[in-house]
Amino acid sequence: MLKSVKVRDYMTIDLVTFKADMDLFRAIDVLLAHRISGAPVVDDEGHLLGLLSESDCLRGILSGSYHEEAGGTVASVMTVVVENIDADADIIKAAEHFIHKGRRRLPVMDEGLLVGQISRRDVLRAVKAYNEHGAPK
């Protein structure tokens, strides 16, 4: 049963992350270079502060163009209220979240610390593996 498949079994642990004081255009360069649509923003201890998405970047650029101010920092545009999921949650809970909330990715937490990220694609990998083999791989 898919409910036995845990988020931690399919989450990405080698994450690209940003610091809040990073220059917005540098962060955009990183997103483009890694071909990702967003990433967590963390402090020096690795605590989750927010998420930076392509939408956040576009919003920041548009806002800056109206005020004739280019750039800014990640902190000035990132999403601060961040939904997340526990590493031991079942994969079905992640899938439901993606469907009902329209998110592409969720930070994965374990005892209050960021330990990874799960995406829609990761959930699809889990379902495919379960369908092919009857158990997680």
Side-chain angles (χ1 to χ4, degrees), residues 49-93:
L49 301 176
L51 286 178
L52 180 70
S53 69
E54 291 169 324
S55 294
D56 295 327
C57 294
L58 289 172
R59 207 170 15 261
I61 291 167
L62 285 175
S63 176
S65 70
Y66 290 129
H67 299 99
E68 296 183 14
E69 299 171 0
T73 63
V74 166
S76 67
V77 299
M78 71 182 187
T79 300
V80 180
V81 178
V82 179
E83 297 171 17
N84 59 69
I85 193 163
D86 190 84
D88 289 320
D90 64 67
I91 208 82
I92 297 299
K93 183 176 179 183

Side-chain angles (χ1 to χ4, degrees), residues 40 48 51 82-85 105-109 114 116-118:
L48 182 65
L51 286 178
V82 179
E83 297 171 17
N84 59 69
I85 193 163
R105 75 198 65 74
L106 282 170
V108 179
M109 309 297 283
L114 178 67
Q117 180 172 274
I118 187 107

Side-chain angles (χ1 to χ4, degrees), residues 2-120:
L2 267 174
K3 285 195 176 213
S4 65
V5 179
K6 301 298 179 198
V7 166
R8 76 170 59 254
D9 298 330
Y10 284 90
M11 68 183 186
T12 300
I13 56 173
D14 186 24
L15 297 179
V16 170
T17 60
F18 297 113
K19 300 291 186 191
D21 61 353
M22 183 180 212
D23 176 75
L24 179 59
F25 286 106
R26 174 69 186 116
I28 291 169
D29 287 342
V30 172
L31 289 175
L32 294 172
H34 288 276
R35 303 176 116 188
I36 56 176
S37 61
V41 181
V42 296
D43 65 15
D44 290 335
E45 289 79 41
H47 295 103
L48 182 65
L49 301 176
L51 286 178
L52 180 70
S53 69
E54 291 169 324
S55 294
D56 295 327
C57 294
L58 289 172
R59 207 170 15 261
I61 291 167
L62 285 175
S63 176
S65 70
Y66 290 129
H67 299 99
E68 296 183 14
E69 299 171 0
T73 63
V74 166
S76 67
V77 299
M78 71 182 187
T79 300
V80 180
V81 178
V82 179
E83 297 171 17
N84 59 69
I85 193 163
D86 190 84
D88 289 320
D90 64 67
I91 208 82
I92 297 299
K93 183 176 179 183
E96 289 171 341
H97 192 93
F98 292 138
I99 290 168
H100 298 297
K101 302 285 186 164
R103 302 280 184 245
R104 292 180 152 199
R105 75 198 65 74
L106 282 170
V108 179
M109 309 297 283
D110 189 11
E111 297 184 18
L113 296 174
L114 178 67
V115 294
Q117 180 172 274
I118 187 107
S119 69
R120 291 187 235 176

Side-chain angles (χ1 to χ4, degrees), residues 114-136:
L114 178 67
V115 294
Q117 180 172 274
I118 187 107
S119 69
R120 291 187 235 176
R121 183 167 294 153
D122 296 327
V123 173
L124 291 175
R125 275 190 316 111
V127 171
K128 181 178 185 278
Y130 191 87
N131 187 49
E132 290 176 350
H133 305 289

